[in-house]
Amino acid sequence: EADCRSAVDYMQNPSEYQGMDVDTVLECKDFARILKKWITHSFREANSVADSLAKHGYYSTRSPSL
């Protein structure tokens, strides 16, 4: 699951992706296929625990201003 709709769309249709890291997108798609996993979209509001952890990680790794 992911809450980034465009990332999920690209994983489901990698031929439409035009970014610089297209190889990474294709590799992730192949990896999900090998593991027999599906990539789906989950709204951020429905996944509040993951959203809270992501925010905590983002703010705790930022260097303090001097």
Side-chain angles (χ1 to χ4, degrees):
E1 288 185 18
D3 64 3
C4 179
R5 184 66 201 188
S6 58
V8 172
D9 289 344
Y10 291 138
M11 292 297 289
Q12 292 175 341
N13 300 304
S15 61
E16 295 179 13
Y17 184 69
Q18 301 297 318
M20 291 175 41
D21 50 356
V22 68
D23 291 334
T24 303
V25 171
L26 294 172
E27 191 173 322
C28 289
K29 175 76 175 174
D30 288 342
F31 190 60
R33 183 185 50 80
I34 290 167
L35 295 177
K36 298 181 182 176
K37 299 294 180 185
W38 292 270
I39 298 166
T40 60
H41 179 259
S42 175
F43 288 100
R44 186 175 308 155
E45 297 80 9
N47 198 357
S48 61
V49 174
D51 187 48
S52 295
L53 288 171
K55 285 179 183 173
H56 176 74
Y58 173 77
Y59 289 114
S60 67
T61 58
R62 293 182 60 158
S63 23
S65 301
L66 296 176

Coordinates of all heavy atoms in Angstrom, one line a residue:
E1 N 0.8 -1.2 0.0 CA 0.0 0.0 0.0 C 0.9 1.2 0.0 O 1.9 1.2 0.6 CB -0.9 0.0 1.2 CG -2.0 -1.0 1.2 CD -2.9 -0.8 2.4 OE1 -2.9 0.2 3.0 OE2 -3.7 -1.8 2.6
A2 N 0.4 2.3 -0.6 CA 1.1 3.5 -0.6 C 0.1 4.7 -0.7 O -1.0 4.5 -1.2 CB 2.0 3.6 -1.8
D3 N 0.4 5.8 -0.1 CA -0.5 6.9 -0.2 C -0.1 8.0 -1.2 O -0.7 9.0 -1.3 CB -0.7 7.6 1.2 CG 0.6 8.2 1.8 OD1 1.6 8.2 1.1 OD2 0.5 8.7 2.9
C4 N 0.8 7.6 -2.1 CA 1.2 8.5 -3.2 C 0.6 8.0 -4.4 O 1.0 7.0 -5.0 CB 2.7 8.6 -3.3 SG 3.2 9.6 -4.6
R5 N -0.5 8.6 -4.8 CA -1.3 8.1 -6.0 C -0.5 7.9 -7.2 O -0.6 6.9 -8.0 CB -2.5 9.0 -6.2 CG -3.5 8.5 -7.3 CD -4.1 7.2 -6.8 NE -4.6 6.5 -8.0 CZ -5.3 5.4 -7.9 NH1 -5.6 4.9 -6.7 NH2 -5.7 4.8 -9.0
S6 N 0.3 8.9 -7.5 CA 1.1 8.9 -8.8 C 2.1 7.7 -8.7 O 2.4 7.0 -9.7 CB 1.8 10.2 -9.0 OG 2.7 10.5 -8.0
A7 N 2.7 7.5 -7.6 CA 3.7 6.3 -7.4 C 3.0 5.0 -7.7 O 3.5 4.1 -8.4 CB 4.3 6.3 -6.1
V8 N 1.8 4.9 -7.1 CA 1.0 3.6 -7.3 C 0.6 3.5 -8.8 O 0.8 2.4 -9.4 CB -0.3 3.6 -6.5 CG1 -1.2 2.5 -6.8 CG2 0.1 3.6 -5.0
D9 N 0.2 4.6 -9.4 CA -0.1 4.6 -10.9 C 1.1 4.1 -11.7 O 0.9 3.3 -12.6 CB -0.6 5.9 -11.3 CG -2.0 6.3 -10.8 OD1 -2.7 5.4 -10.3 OD2 -2.4 7.5 -10.9
Y10 N 2.2 4.7 -11.4 CA 3.4 4.3 -12.2 C 3.8 2.8 -12.0 O 4.3 2.2 -12.9 CB 4.6 5.2 -11.8 CG 4.4 6.6 -12.3 CD1 4.7 7.7 -11.6 CD2 3.9 6.9 -13.6 CE1 4.6 9.0 -12.0 CE2 3.7 8.2 -14.1 CZ 4.0 9.2 -13.3 OH 3.9 10.5 -13.7
M11 N 3.6 2.3 -10.7 CA 3.9 0.9 -10.5 C 3.0 0.0 -11.2 O 3.3 -1.1 -11.7 CB 3.9 0.6 -9.0 CG 5.0 1.3 -8.2 SD 6.6 0.8 -8.7 CE 6.6 -0.9 -8.0
Q12 N 1.7 0.5 -11.4 CA 0.7 -0.4 -12.1 C 0.9 -0.3 -13.6 O 0.6 -1.2 -14.3 CB -0.7 0.0 -11.6 CG -1.0 -0.3 -10.2 CD -2.3 0.2 -9.7 OE1 -2.9 1.1 -10.3 NE2 -2.8 -0.4 -8.6
N13 N 1.4 0.9 -14.1 CA 1.6 1.1 -15.5 C 3.0 1.7 -15.7 O 3.1 2.9 -16.1 CB 0.5 2.0 -16.1 CG -0.9 1.5 -15.9 OD1 -1.1 0.4 -16.3 ND2 -1.7 2.2 -15.2
P14 N 4.1 1.0 -15.5 CA 5.4 1.5 -15.6 C 5.8 2.1 -17.0 O 6.6 2.9 -17.1 CB 6.3 0.4 -15.2 CG 5.5 -0.8 -15.3 CD 4.1 -0.5 -15.2
S15 N 5.1 1.6 -18.0 CA 5.4 2.2 -19.3 C 5.0 3.6 -19.5 O 5.5 4.3 -20.4 CB 4.7 1.3 -20.4 OG 3.3 1.4 -20.2
E16 N 4.2 4.1 -18.6 CA 3.8 5.5 -18.7 C 4.7 6.5 -17.9 O 4.7 7.7 -18.0 CB 2.4 5.7 -18.1 CG 1.3 5.0 -18.9 CD -0.1 5.2 -18.4 OE1 -0.3 6.0 -17.5 OE2 -1.0 4.4 -18.8
Y17 N 5.6 5.9 -17.1 CA 6.6 6.7 -16.3 C 7.7 7.2 -17.2 O 8.3 6.5 -17.9 CB 7.1 5.8 -15.2 CG 8.0 6.6 -14.2 CD1 7.5 7.5 -13.4 CD2 9.4 6.3 -14.2 CE1 8.3 8.2 -12.5 CE2 10.2 7.0 -13.3 CZ 9.6 8.0 -12.5 OH 10.4 8.7 -11.6
Q18 N 8.0 8.5 -17.0 CA 9.0 9.1 -17.8 C 10.2 9.7 -17.0 O 11.0 10.5 -17.5 CB 8.4 10.3 -18.7 CG 7.3 9.8 -19.6 CD 7.8 8.8 -20.7 OE1 8.9 9.0 -21.2 NE2 7.1 7.8 -20.9
G19 N 10.2 9.4 -15.7 CA 11.2 9.9 -14.8 C 12.6 9.3 -15.0 O 12.8 8.4 -15.7
M20 N 13.5 10.0 -14.3 CA 14.9 9.5 -14.4 C 15.2 8.2 -13.7 O 16.1 7.5 -14.1 CB 15.8 10.6 -13.7 CG 15.9 11.9 -14.5 SD 16.8 13.2 -13.6 CE 18.2 12.4 -13.0
D21 N 14.4 7.8 -12.8 CA 14.6 6.6 -12.1 C 13.7 5.5 -12.6 O 13.2 4.6 -11.8 CB 14.5 6.8 -10.6 CG 13.2 7.5 -10.2 OD1 12.4 7.9 -11.1 OD2 12.9 7.7 -9.0
V22 N 13.4 5.4 -13.9 CA 12.5 4.4 -14.4 C 13.0 3.0 -14.2 O 12.2 2.1 -14.0 CB 12.3 4.7 -16.0 CG1 13.6 4.4 -16.7 CG2 11.2 3.9 -16.5
D23 N 14.3 2.8 -14.1 CA 14.8 1.5 -13.8 C 14.4 1.0 -12.4 O 14.1 -0.2 -12.2 CB 16.4 1.4 -13.9 CG 16.8 1.6 -15.4 OD1 16.0 1.2 -16.3 OD2 17.9 2.1 -15.6
T24 N 14.4 1.9 -11.5 CA 14.0 1.6 -10.1 C 12.5 1.2 -10.1 O 12.1 0.3 -9.4 CB 14.2 2.8 -9.2 OG1 15.6 3.1 -9.2 CG2 13.8 2.5 -7.7
V25 N 11.7 2.0 -10.8 CA 10.2 1.7 -10.9 C 10.0 0.3 -11.5 O 9.3 -0.5 -10.9 CB 9.5 2.7 -11.7 CG1 8.1 2.3 -12.0 CG2 9.5 4.1 -11.0
L26 N 10.7 0.0 -12.5 CA 10.6 -1.4 -13.2 C 11.1 -2.5 -12.2 O 10.5 -3.6 -12.2 CB 11.4 -1.4 -14.5 CG 10.8 -0.5 -15.6 CD1 11.7 -0.5 -16.8 CD2 9.4 -0.9 -16.0
E27 N 12.2 -2.2 -11.5 CA 12.7 -3.2 -10.6 C 11.7 -3.5 -9.5 O 11.5 -4.6 -9.1 CB 14.1 -2.7 -10.0 CG 14.8 -3.7 -9.3 CD 16.2 -3.3 -8.9 OE1 16.9 -2.5 -9.7 OE2 16.6 -3.6 -7.8
C28 N 11.1 -2.4 -8.9 CA 10.1 -2.6 -7.9 C 8.9 -3.4 -8.4 O 8.4 -4.2 -7.7 CB 9.7 -1.2 -7.3 SG 10.9 -0.4 -6.4
K29 N 8.5 -3.1 -9.6 CA 7.4 -3.8 -10.2 C 7.7 -5.3 -10.3 O 6.9 -6.1 -10.0 CB 7.1 -3.2 -11.6 CG 6.0 -3.9 -12.4 CD 4.6 -3.6 -11.9 CE 3.6 -4.2 -12.8 NZ 2.3 -4.1 -12.3
D30 N 8.9 -5.6 -10.8 CA 9.3 -7.0 -10.9 C 9.4 -7.7 -9.6 O 9.0 -8.8 -9.4 CB 10.6 -7.1 -11.7 CG 10.6 -6.8 -13.1 OD1 9.4 -6.8 -13.7 OD2 11.6 -6.5 -13.7
F31 N 9.9 -7.0 -8.6 CA 10.0 -7.5 -7.3 C 8.6 -7.8 -6.7 O 8.4 -8.9 -6.1 CB 10.8 -6.5 -6.4 CG 11.2 -7.1 -5.0 CD1 12.0 -8.2 -4.9 CD2 10.7 -6.5 -3.9 CE1 12.4 -8.7 -3.7 CE2 11.1 -7.0 -2.6 CZ 11.9 -8.1 -2.6
A32 N 7.7 -6.9 -6.9 CA 6.3 -7.2 -6.4 C 5.7 -8.4 -7.1 O 5.0 -9.2 -6.5 CB 5.5 -5.9 -6.6
R33 N 6.0 -8.5 -8.4 CA 5.5 -9.6 -9.2 C 6.0 -11.0 -8.6 O 5.3 -11.9 -8.4 CB 5.8 -9.5 -10.6 CG 5.2 -10.6 -11.5 CD 5.6 -10.4 -13.0 NE 7.1 -10.2 -13.2 CZ 8.0 -11.2 -13.1 NH1 7.6 -12.4 -12.9 NH2 9.3 -10.9 -13.3
I34 N 7.3 -11.0 -8.4 CA 8.0 -12.2 -7.9 C 7.4 -12.6 -6.5 O 7.2 -13.8 -6.3 CB 9.5 -12.0 -7.8 CG1 10.1 -11.9 -9.2 CG2 10.2 -13.0 -7.0 CD1 11.6 -11.4 -9.2
L35 N 7.2 -11.6 -5.7 CA 6.6 -11.9 -4.3 C 5.1 -12.1 -4.4 O 4.5 -12.4 -3.3 CB 7.0 -10.7 -3.4 CG 8.4 -10.5 -3.1 CD1 8.6 -9.3 -2.2 CD2 9.0 -11.8 -2.4
K36 N 4.5 -11.9 -5.6 CA 3.1 -12.1 -5.7 C 2.3 -11.1 -4.8 O 1.4 -11.5 -4.1 CB 2.6 -13.5 -5.5 CG 3.3 -14.5 -6.4 CD 2.8 -15.9 -6.2 CE 3.5 -16.8 -7.2 NZ 3.3 -18.2 -7.0
K37 N 2.8 -9.8 -4.9 CA 2.1 -8.8 -4.1 C 1.5 -7.8 -5.1 O 1.9 -7.6 -6.2 CB 3.2 -8.0 -3.2 CG 3.9 -8.9 -2.2 CD 2.9 -9.4 -1.2 CE 3.6 -10.3 -0.2 NZ 2.7 -10.9 0.7
W38 N 0.4 -7.1 -4.6 CA -0.2 -6.1 -5.4 C 0.1 -4.8 -4.8 O 0.2 -4.6 -3.6 CB -1.7 -6.3 -5.3 CG -2.1 -7.6 -6.1 CD1 -2.5 -7.7 -7.4 CD2 -2.2 -8.9 -5.6 NE1 -2.7 -9.0 -7.7 CE2 -2.6 -9.7 -6.6 CE3 -2.0 -9.4 -4.3 CZ2 -2.8 -11.1 -6.4 CZ3 -2.2 -10.8 -4.1 CH2 -2.6 -11.6 -5.2
I39 N 0.1 -3.8 -5.6 CA 0.4 -2.4 -5.2 C -0.9 -1.6 -5.3 O -1.5 -1.6 -6.4 CB 1.5 -1.8 -6.1 CG1 2.8 -2.6 -5.9 CG2 1.7 -0.3 -5.7 CD1 3.9 -2.3 -6.9
T40 N -1.4 -1.1 -4.2 CA -2.7 -0.4 -4.2 C -2.5 0.9 -3.5 O -1.6 1.1 -2.7 CB -3.7 -1.3 -3.5 OG1 -3.3 -1.5 -2.1 CG2 -4.0 -2.6 -4.2
H41 N -3.4 1.8 -3.8 CA -3.5 3.1 -3.1 C -4.3 3.1 -1.9 O -5.3 2.4 -1.8 CB -4.1 4.1 -4.1 CG -4.1 5.5 -3.5 ND1 -5.3 6.0 -3.0 CD2 -3.2 6.4 -3.4 CE1 -5.0 7.2 -2.6 NE2 -3.8 7.5 -2.8
S42 N -3.8 3.7 -0.8 CA -4.5 3.8 0.4 C -4.4 5.3 0.8 O -3.3 5.9 0.9 CB -3.8 3.0 1.5 OG -4.4 3.2 2.7
F43 N -5.6 5.9 1.0 CA -5.6 7.3 1.4 C -4.8 7.5 2.7 O -4.9 6.7 3.6 CB -7.0 7.8 1.5 CG -7.7 8.0 0.2 CD1 -8.5 7.0 -0.3 CD2 -7.4 9.1 -0.6 CE1 -9.1 7.2 -1.5 CE2 -8.0 9.2 -1.9 CZ -8.9 8.2 -2.3
R44 N -4.1 8.6 2.8 CA -3.3 8.9 4.0 C -4.2 8.9 5.3 O -3.7 8.4 6.3 CB -2.7 10.3 3.8 CG -1.7 10.7 4.9 CD -1.1 12.0 4.6 NE -0.5 12.0 3.2 CZ -0.3 13.0 2.4 NH1 -0.6 14.2 2.9 NH2 0.2 12.9 1.2
E45 N -5.4 9.4 5.2 CA -6.3 9.4 6.3 C -6.6 8.0 6.8 O -6.8 7.8 8.0 CB -7.5 10.2 6.0 CG -7.3 11.6 5.6 CD -6.9 11.9 4.2 OE1 -6.8 10.9 3.4 OE2 -6.5 13.0 3.9
A46 N -6.6 7.1 5.9 CA -7.0 5.7 6.3 C -5.7 4.9 6.8 O -5.8 3.9 7.4 CB -7.5 4.9 5.1
N47 N -4.6 5.5 6.7 CA -3.3 4.9 7.1 C -2.6 5.8 8.1 O -1.5 6.2 7.9 CB -2.5 4.6 5.9 CG -1.4 3.6 6.2 OD1 -1.3 3.1 7.3 ND2 -0.7 3.2 5.2
S48 N -3.3 6.3 9.1 CA -2.8 7.3 10.0 C -1.5 6.9 10.8 O -0.7 7.7 11.1 CB -3.9 7.7 11.0 OG -4.2 6.6 11.8
V49 N -1.4 5.6 11.1 CA -0.2 5.1 11.8 C 1.1 5.3 10.9 O 2.1 5.9 11.3 CB -0.3 3.7 12.2 CG1 1.0 3.2 12.8 CG2 -1.4 3.5 13.2
A50 N 1.0 4.9 9.7 CA 2.1 5.0 8.7 C 2.4 6.5 8.5 O 3.6 6.9 8.4 CB 1.8 4.3 7.4
D51 N 1.4 7.3 8.4 CA 1.5 8.8 8.2 C 2.2 9.4 9.3 O 3.2 10.2 9.2 CB 0.2 9.4 7.9 CG 0.3 10.9 7.5 OD1 1.1 11.2 6.6 OD2 -0.4 11.7 8.1
S52 N 1.9 9.0 10.5 CA 2.5 9.6 11.8 C 4.0 9.1 11.8 O 4.8 9.9 12.2 CB 1.8 9.1 13.0 OG 0.5 9.6 13.0
L53 N 4.3 7.9 11.5 CA 5.6 7.4 11.5 C 6.5 8.1 10.5 O 7.6 8.5 10.8 CB 5.7 5.9 11.3 CG 5.2 5.0 12.5 CD1 5.1 3.6 12.0 CD2 6.1 5.2 13.6
A54 N 5.9 8.3 9.3 CA 6.7 9.0 8.3 C 7.0 10.5 8.7 O 8.1 11.0 8.5 CB 5.9 9.0 7.0
K55 N 6.0 11.2 9.3 CA 6.2 12.5 9.7 C 7.3 12.5 10.9 O 8.2 13.4 10.9 CB 4.9 13.1 10.2 CG 4.0 13.5 9.1 CD 2.7 14.1 9.7 CE 1.7 14.4 8.6 NZ 0.4 14.8 9.1
H56 N 7.2 11.6 11.8 CA 8.2 11.5 12.9 C 9.6 11.3 12.3 O 10.5 12.0 12.7 CB 7.8 10.4 13.8 CG 8.8 10.2 14.9 ND1 8.9 11.1 16.0 CD2 9.7 9.3 15.1 CE1 9.9 10.7 16.8 NE2 10.4 9.6 16.2
G57 N 9.7 10.4 11.4 CA 11.0 10.1 10.8 C 11.6 11.3 10.0 O 12.7 11.6 10.1
Y58 N 10.7 12.0 9.3 CA 11.1 13.2 8.6 C 11.6 14.3 9.5 O 12.7 14.8 9.3 CB 10.0 13.7 7.7 CG 10.3 15.0 7.0 CD1 11.1 15.0 5.9 CD2 9.8 16.2 7.5 CE1 11.4 16.2 5.3 CE2 10.1 17.4 6.9 CZ 10.9 17.4 5.8 OH 11.2 18.6 5.1
Y59 N 10.9 14.6 10.5 CA 11.2 15.7 11.4 C 12.4 15.3 12.4 O 13.2 16.2 12.8 CB 10.0 16.2 12.2 CG 9.1 16.9 11.3 CD1 7.8 16.4 11.1 CD2 9.4 18.1 10.7 CE1 6.9 17.1 10.2 CE2 8.6 18.8 9.9 CZ 7.3 18.2 9.6 OH 6.5 18.9 8.8
S60 N 12.6 14.0 12.7 CA 13.6 13.6 13.6 C 15.0 13.5 12.9 O 16.0 13.5 13.6 CB 13.3 12.3 14.3 OG 13.3 11.3 13.4
T61 N 15.0 13.4 11.6 CA 16.3 13.3 10.9 C 16.7 14.6 10.3 O 17.8 14.7 9.7 CB 16.2 12.3 9.7 OG1 15.1 12.7 8.8 CG2 15.9 10.9 10.2
R62 N 15.9 15.7 10.4 CA 16.4 17.0 9.9 C 17.4 17.6 10.9 O 17.3 17.4 12.1 CB 15.2 17.9 9.8 CG 14.2 17.5 8.7 CD 13.1 18.4 8.6 NE 13.6 19.7 8.2 CZ 12.9 20.6 7.7 NH1 11.6 20.4 7.4 NH2 13.4 21.8 7.4
S63 N 18.4 18.2 10.3 CA 19.4 18.8 11.2 C 18.9 20.1 11.8 O 18.2 20.8 11.1 CB 20.7 19.0 10.5 OG 20.6 19.1 9.1
P64 N 19.3 20.3 13.0 CA 18.8 21.6 13.7 C 19.5 22.8 13.0 O 20.6 22.7 12.5 CB 19.3 21.4 15.1 CG 20.3 20.3 15.1 CD 20.1 19.5 13.9
S65 N 18.7 23.9 13.0 CA 19.2 25.1 12.4 C 20.3 25.7 13.4 O 20.1 25.7 14.6 CB 18.1 26.1 12.2 OG 17.2 25.6 11.4
L66 N 21.3 26.2 12.8 CA 22.4 26.9 13.7 C 22.2 28.3 13.6 O 21.8 29.0 12.8 CB 23.7 26.5 13.2 CG 24.1 25.0 13.3 CD1 25.4 24.7 12.7 CD2 24.1 24.5 14.7

